[in-house]
Every structure is written in structure tokens, then in C-alpha cells.
């Protein structure tokens, strides 16, 4: 019989009402259901969970019988073969997974077989870290069978059961451990840390997509600098890349492109492209990183306002903010100044693009200009406004065009 700790019943008040309603519906249908995993961990740490995972004795088919046809509830197939069903209720998605046991792992990642069980205890025993092997029930309290509470109190990451076996089953847990350490700032329990080093070669069997996802989350952690430096050898082998400037990660804003740019700044363009291809970055992210990489190293900025407006013609706003985040590690004062001026440019809707000019191609077409002339003159007007040689007024710009033509022709 599970020993539920009622001292944590106050956590119920932090749960969203729609979750409690779903919970009641399933229990009234004769099934067990508990909140599990990272959401329980976050509640205990005083954080608001981004999402909630639930474990139930009900199978996906039984859950469908409960919810199908119910107003306001949409069911989403997330992997019935794995016992997971998505329940979208009042604009929030909840993943409900049937209690299960797993057979041996055939490729250090995927179990060879799954078996649905009625025991919550068996389900918790298959989980990765003790701080994720916690279950919560709004009326019963907290269930901790693997010392997760003590590990939370000690800010420690420890694998459930035999750490070597846990990693042999699923090698991606190596990167998950580093990611959690980076995000939470927890240390790794000695046996768990030893297993990470001993089994790190197993990451060779993990898909690059999964490695990329975990690496990105690790990179954005508040304690990324410490973890990336401490476990650089594991990351180097898993990602087949050597990174630099890891000491500056924590002082770089948690912007993915800014932090990637930081640790890849010493590479040439081809090395960066090869890395993006190997880790299967999206085409959009690859192009964006290469565009930003071309702006390295940081050169002199004489007219910061003009410099910013010029960059906004080449980069989108997200890319420019990532670049300024990267510059923060090289010249904090300049970066702060540029961020402040960018804010003013956007707030005042200052002109940095043709679409903000007080004239357009139709105005010039009406004056008899044609083809390439129009583009050249509009560009000249934009440069004139950005350099404050002319104000962004239709009459002033038309006069500026006449003067510009006269100068070009004479």
C-alpha cells in the first residue's frame, strides 16, 4: 500500500481548475489518476509548471469512452501504442499516460515492449530521476518512493535505481541530466555522475534531432556555463564539435541564437554550416546563424543610431536582438547603449525601412520616373532620412530627390 504524505495537500491550491475537473471526471469513472513528473517537481520548488503530465490506470481507449462527445473536450492522438492520449480541455492540453512497465531497451533509447499495469508504484520505478519520480493526488497528497524529496532539498540529481542500467536503457538521459543541472543548478549525485562519464559513448546511438533538442535546452539554462565547462568532453563527443567562450554563457542573455553565436564565434562559416547540418537545424535557424556570424567580430560603431538602422535593413528584429545579446559579452556598455537606442527607434517609429518613408514608388511613378530610377531614388531618400539630411516629409523628400538628381547629373 502506497504511503501518501498529506503534508503536501496544500499544493492542490496551485493546480488549475480545469485539471481538477478532469481529475474528478476520471476518478468518478472508476480509474486512478495522478499528477506526475516535472510538474510535481516544479510545484514543490515553488514554480508554476508550464504543463501537467498525468498517469492513470485507464487505457487510452477507456479514456476515450469517458471523454468522447463531451462538450469542450477534444482528444488528440499522441501515441496510443505508448499509452498516451492528449486531452484538450478549456484551451489547455493535458497528456495522460497509462501506468506501464517497459521491457528491455533494444537501441539504448526505445523499449522493446510496453506493458500496461494497474500499479502506480511500478510506473514510478521506470522513471529517470528521483525528482521526477514523484506523484501527487489532490486528496491523498504526495507519493515519494525513491527519495525525490530529499534530493530536491539537497539540490541533487540522482537516477532512479541503478544509474548505469538507467543510462543503458536510454542514453538520452545523459543529456537530460546535464540539461536539468543547467536549468535547476543542481549537482549530480556521485554514482549518477560516474555513470554519465562511463556511459557517454552510448550517445552515439541517439538521433541527432533528440541530441539537438536537449542541447538547446541545456544551453539556455541559468547555469549553462558551469555545466558546459564541467562536461565539455561529453558534449564535444555527442555534438562532434569544440566550443569556446563557455565561461561567458551565464552573462549572455538566454537567447538561443545569441548563445549559439557565442560558443561558435571562433569557427569559420563552413564549420558552422557543417555543425548545423549535422545536428539537423532548421533551414531558418541555419540561415539566421550564418547571417549573424557574418557580423563577427564586433567592429567600431561611430554613429550608433545609424548603425542600428543599417542593421535593421539586413537583419530582422529577432536577429538584431540576438546580435546585441552576443555583443553584451564583448562590450557591455556598448551593448546596453545600442539596446536603449533600439528601444527608442522602435518606440518613435523612426525610419529605417522603405515602408516607413513618406513617399513610395507610386509617387515617383506619377512624376515620370521609371524602373530602376525609382528604386535608386527611394534608397537615396531612405539614406537621407537615416542620416538626418532630410526629414521624413513628402514635400521635403520630393525636393530632396530633385537636388539628388541635379547632383548626379552634374
Amino acid at each position: 500500500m502506497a504511503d501518501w504524505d498529506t503534508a503536501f495537500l496544500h499544493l492542490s491550491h496551485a493546480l488549475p481548475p480545469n485539471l481538477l475537473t478532469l481529475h474528478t471526471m476520471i476518478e468518478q469513472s472508476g480509474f486512478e489518476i495522478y499528477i506526475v513528473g516535472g510538474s510535481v517537481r516544479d510545484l514543490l520548488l515553488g514554480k508554476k509548471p508550464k504543463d501537467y503530465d498525468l498517469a492513470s490506470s485507464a487505457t487510452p481507449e477507456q479514456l476515450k469512452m469517458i471523454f468522447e462527445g463531451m462538450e469542450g473536450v477534444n482528444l488528440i492522438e499522441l501515441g496510443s501504442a505508448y499509452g498516451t492520449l492528449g486531452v484538450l480541455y478549456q484551451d489547455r492540453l493535458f497528456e495522460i499516460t497509462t501506468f506501464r512497465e517497459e521491457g528491455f531497451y533494444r537501441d539504448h533509447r526505445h523499449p522493446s515492449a510496453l506493458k500496461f499495469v494497474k500499479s502506480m508504484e511500478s510506473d514510478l520505478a521506470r522513471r529517470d530521476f528521483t525528482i521526477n519520480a514523484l506523484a501527487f493526488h489532490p486528496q491523498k497528497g504526495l507519493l515519494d518512493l525513491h527519495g525525490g524529496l530529499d534530493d530536491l532539498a539537497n539540490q541533487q540529481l540522482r537516477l532512479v535505481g541503478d544509474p548505469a542500467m538507467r543510462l543503458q536503457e536510454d542514453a538520452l538521459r545523459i543529456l537530460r541530466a546535464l540539461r536539468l543541472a543547467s536549468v535547476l543548478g543542481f549537482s549530480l549525485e556521485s554514482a549518477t555522475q560516474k555513470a554519465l562519464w562511463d556511459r557517454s559513448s552510448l550517445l552515439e546511438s541517439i538521433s541527432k534531432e533528440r541530441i539537438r533538442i536537449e542541447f538547446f535546452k541545456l544551453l539556455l539554462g541559468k547555469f549553462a556555463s558551469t555545466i558546459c565547462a564541467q562536461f565539455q568532453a561529453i558534449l564535444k563527443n555527442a555534438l562532434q564539435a569544440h566550443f569556446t567562450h563557455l565561461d561567458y554563457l551565464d552573462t549572455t542573455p538566454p537567447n538561443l541564437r545569441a548563445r549559439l553565436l557565442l560558443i561558435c564565434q571562433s569557427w569559420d562559416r563552413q564549420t558552422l554550416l557543417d555543425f548545423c547540418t549535422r545536428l539537423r537545424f532548421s533551414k531558418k535557424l541555419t540561415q539566421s546563424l550564418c547571417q549573424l556570424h557574418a557580423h563577427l567580430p564586433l567592429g567600431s560603431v561611430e554613429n550608433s543610431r545609424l548603425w542600428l538602422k543599417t542593421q535593421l535593413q539586413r537583419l530582422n528584429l529577432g536577429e538584431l536582438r540576438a546580435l546585441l545579446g552576443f555583443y553584451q559579452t564583448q562590450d557591455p556598455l556598448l551593448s546596453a547603449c545600442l539596446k536603449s537606442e533600439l528601444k527608442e527607434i522602435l518606440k518613435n517609429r523612426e525610419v529605417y525601412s522603405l515602408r516607413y518613408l513618406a513617399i513610395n514608388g507610386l509617387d515617383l511613378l506619377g512624376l515620370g520616373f521609371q524602373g530602376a530610377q525609382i528604386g535608386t531614388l527611394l534608397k537615396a531618400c531612405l539614406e537621407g532620412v537615416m542620416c538626418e539630411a532630410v526629414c521624413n516629409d513628402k514635400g521635403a523628400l520630393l525636393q530632396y530627390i530633385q537636388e539628388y538628381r541635379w547632383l548626379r547629373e552634374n
Side-chain angles (χ1 to χ4, degrees):
M1 178 68 72
D3 186 13
W4 293 86
D5 190 340
T6 58
F8 294 91
L9 283 174
H10 63 279
L11 295 178
S12 299
H13 301 300
L15 298 175
N18 50 357
L19 170 56
L20 293 171
T21 301
L22 280 181
H23 191 278
T24 299
M25 289 180 187
I26 294 171
E27 287 210 324
Q28 288 180 346
S29 298
F31 300 100
E32 295 178 52
I33 181 166
Y34 307 102
I35 300 138
V36 295
S39 53
V40 180
R41 178 197 70 221
D42 288 345
L43 285 170
L44 290 166
L45 290 173
K47 300 178 180 180
K48 185 178 181 180
K50 294 180 180 179
D51 47 45
Y52 292 87
D53 293 331
L54 299 107
S56 176
S57 59
T59 66
E61 292 305 316
Q62 290 170 328
L63 289 171
K64 289 177 184 178
M65 292 177 64
I66 296 172
F67 293 117
E68 273 185 337
M70 188 174 292
E71 186 176 354
V73 176
N74 291 314
L75 303 179
I76 301 173
E77 294 286 352
L78 296 177
S80 294
Y82 295 95
T84 302
L85 181 71
V87 179
L88 183 63
Y89 179 55
Q90 296 180 351
D91 298 322
R92 187 157 195 166
L93 179 65
F94 299 97
E95 290 189 15
I96 306 177
T97 301
T98 308
F99 300 157
R100 70 191 196 197
E101 292 179 344
E102 298 167 345
F104 71 91
Y105 284 66
R106 49 187 164 82
D107 56 3
H108 307 299
R109 178 77 182 103
H110 302 99
S112 58
L114 293 174
K115 177 184 177 183
F116 296 154
V117 296
K118 296 297 182 182
S119 167
M120 183 66 209
E121 292 83 352
S122 296
D123 187 82
L124 292 178
R126 71 175 177 81
R127 296 179 180 269
D128 49 12
F129 301 97
T130 60
I131 62 172
N132 292 335
L134 297 161
F136 180 73
H137 187 283
Q139 285 79 47
K140 296 179 182 178
L142 186 74
L143 180 63
D144 175 20
L145 301 176
H146 301 283
L149 279 174
D150 286 340
D151 286 334
L152 275 178
N154 295 323
Q155 297 188 338
Q156 176 177 256
L157 287 172
R158 182 164 55 91
L159 285 158
V160 173
D162 180 352
M165 183 180 297
R166 290 283 86 81
L167 300 184
Q168 193 76 23
E169 292 171 345
D170 185 354
L172 190 61
R173 288 168 175 163
I174 297 170
L175 291 183
R176 282 182 181 160
L178 300 186
R179 183 248 295 178
L180 281 172
S182 174
V183 172
L184 298 175
F186 285 15
S187 62
L188 290 158
E189 178 263 341
S190 58
T192 293
Q193 183 169 166
K194 183 178 185 302
L196 257 61
W197 287 107
D198 292 346
R199 296 291 189 274
S200 62
S201 62
L202 296 177
L203 284 169
E204 296 173 6
S205 63
I206 302 299
S207 73
K208 298 303 181 185
E209 292 88 348
R210 298 302 304 175
I211 287 177
R212 181 194 68 234
I213 291 169
E214 291 297 330
F215 176 60
F216 281 3
K217 292 177 180 178
L218 186 164
L219 203 59
L220 293 175
K222 186 177 179 180
F223 304 91
S225 180
T226 300
I227 297 304
C228 286
Q230 184 179 356
F231 296 94
Q232 186 172 6
I234 289 179
L235 294 174
K236 181 179 179 180
N237 291 334
L239 302 166
Q240 299 170 42
H242 176 69
F243 304 110
T244 58
H245 301 85
L246 297 175
D247 291 345
Y248 294 96
L249 274 171
D250 294 352
T251 57
T252 304
N255 176 296
L256 180 62
R257 283 176 290 191
R259 291 196 170 186
L260 283 169
L261 202 59
L262 172 75
I263 64 175
C264 302
Q265 62 181 283
S266 63
W267 300 354
D268 58 33
R269 177 183 172 84
Q270 190 57 52
T271 302
L272 178 61
L273 272 173
D274 291 344
F275 176 69
C276 293
T277 301
R278 189 164 59 251
L279 271 293
R280 296 178 173 82
F281 284 24
S282 68
K283 183 178 179 181
K284 182 178 179 181
L285 179 56
T286 299
Q287 291 175 339
S288 184
L289 281 174
C290 288
Q291 175 88 318
L292 291 171
H293 190 267
H295 286 72
L296 307 184
L298 172 61
S300 61
V301 179
E302 297 179 2
N303 185 330
S304 56
R305 219 170 187 84
L306 180 59
W307 183 88
L308 284 166
K309 292 177 181 179
T310 302
Q311 302 312 313
L312 282 167
Q313 295 177 35
R314 305 169 182 170
L315 306 171
N316 63 44
L317 187 55
E319 289 171 335
L320 180 54
R321 283 177 170 149
L323 187 63
L324 297 183
F326 164 75
Y327 285 164
Q328 183 172 310
T329 64
Q330 298 195 335
D331 193 330
L333 291 178
L334 176 59
S335 177
C337 174
L338 290 172
K339 288 178 181 178
S340 178
E341 291 210 41
L342 176 61
K343 187 176 181 180
E344 287 186 21
I345 289 171
L346 298 175
K347 179 181 178 181
N348 299 332
R349 297 190 175 185
E350 296 180 26
V351 176
Y352 61 83
S353 169
L354 290 175
R355 67 179 180 272
Y356 297 130
L357 277 179
I359 61 172
N360 57 38
L362 291 177
D363 295 318
L364 300 188
L365 195 63
L367 294 175
F369 296 108
Q370 297 179 348
Q373 275 185 313
I374 293 176
T376 299
L377 291 173
L378 287 175
K379 184 177 179 181
C381 285
L382 177 61
E383 292 176 352
V385 172
M386 287 170 52
C387 294
E388 300 181 350
V390 60
C391 63
N392 189 33
D393 171 79
K394 186 173 183 177
L397 288 171
L398 292 176
Q399 178 64 33
Y400 185 75
I401 285 173
Q402 298 301 330
E403 295 173 357
Y404 177 81
R405 284 189 68 204
W406 187 85
L407 289 172
R408 289 285 299 270
E409 293 171 357
N410 294 278

